[in-house]
């Protein structure tokens, strides 16, 4: 631990094997955003649970089905999924198809990581103008029960898309600087429960 912090080699302030770290102020901002996103995801999960219980009580105990609770559950799930994956999940916690990249060394993982990041930035970037246009067009519609305008409701996808572009642009820069994506260790993976 202490030896890992010491510079290695002449003139080099950091070892090539050590992962590149974010500047302290950016790392603190990212950590703060992740904690706030976790708070939002937890609140949305609580809203979804309460709406589900209310729906069961009204439907089966009071024999009075209500639609707004189902709509609220779907909205909470949508926001929880998009905001959680954009701001809360770490790259190592994302679903990966690493059948090939998991068998590669650091250079191979860096090449694959670069290709994946480039594809994500290009594809999400190309789709972003049409996405914004479609979301703004949806102002003419609203939800059935809660009467929320769909452009306001689906604007979360624009936030998600921009966050993904920024996240993978950062991964692209890291790959160009020589940092390979971390190797997944399936012996340490958990179900998340």
């Amino acid at each position: 631990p202490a030896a890992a912090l010491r510079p290695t080699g002449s003139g080099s302030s950091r070892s090539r094997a050590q992962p590149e770290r974010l500047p302290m102020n950016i790392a603190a901002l990212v950590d703060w955003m992740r904690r706030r996103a976790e708070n939002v995801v937890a609140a949305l999960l609580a809203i979804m649970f309460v709406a589900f219980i209310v729906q069961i009580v009204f439907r089966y105990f009071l024999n009075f089905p209500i639609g707004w609770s189902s709509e609220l559950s779907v909205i909470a799930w949508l926001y929880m999924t998009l905001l959680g994956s954009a701001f809360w999940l770490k790259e190592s916690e994302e679903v990966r198809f690493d059948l090939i990249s998991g068998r590669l060394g650091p250079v191979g993982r860096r090449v694959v990581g670069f290709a994946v990041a480039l594809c994500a930035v290009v594809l999400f970037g190309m789709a972003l103008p049409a996405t914004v246009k479609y979301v703004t067009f949806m102002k003419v519609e609203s939800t059935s029960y809660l009467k929320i305008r769909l452009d306001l409701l689906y604007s979360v996808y624009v936030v998600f898309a921009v966050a993904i572009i920024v996240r993978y642009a950062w991964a692209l820069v890291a790959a160009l600087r020589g940092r390979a994506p971390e190797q997944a260790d399936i012996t340490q993976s958990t179900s998340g429960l």
Side-chain angles (χ1 to χ4, degrees), residues 98-133:
D98 59 355
L99 185 65
I100 296 170
S101 65
R103 300 184 186 280
L104 300 175
V107 173
R109 283 197 320 274
R110 192 176 90 208
V111 169
V112 170
F114 176 82
V116 168
L118 182 64
C119 287
V121 168
V122 167
L123 293 175
F124 273 93
M126 286 173 52
L128 191 60
T131 301
V132 170
K133 188 176 179 182

Side-chain angles (χ1 to χ4, degrees), residues 2-55:
L5 297 176
R6 280 189 235 127
T8 59
S10 60
S12 173
S13 62
R14 89 184 118 165
S15 171
R16 192 159 184 78
Q18 291 179 349
E20 193 170 313
R21 303 246 186 261
L22 290 171
M24 196 56 148
N25 55 352
I26 295 175
L29 177 66
V30 168
D31 186 46
W32 181 85
M33 285 179 62
R34 284 194 77 243
R35 283 184 278 133
R36 296 302 72 81
E38 184 177 11
N39 297 145
V40 169
V41 167
L44 289 168
L45 187 60
I47 289 169
M48 195 167 79
F49 178 73
V50 169
F52 178 69
I53 296 300
V54 167
Q55 184 177 11

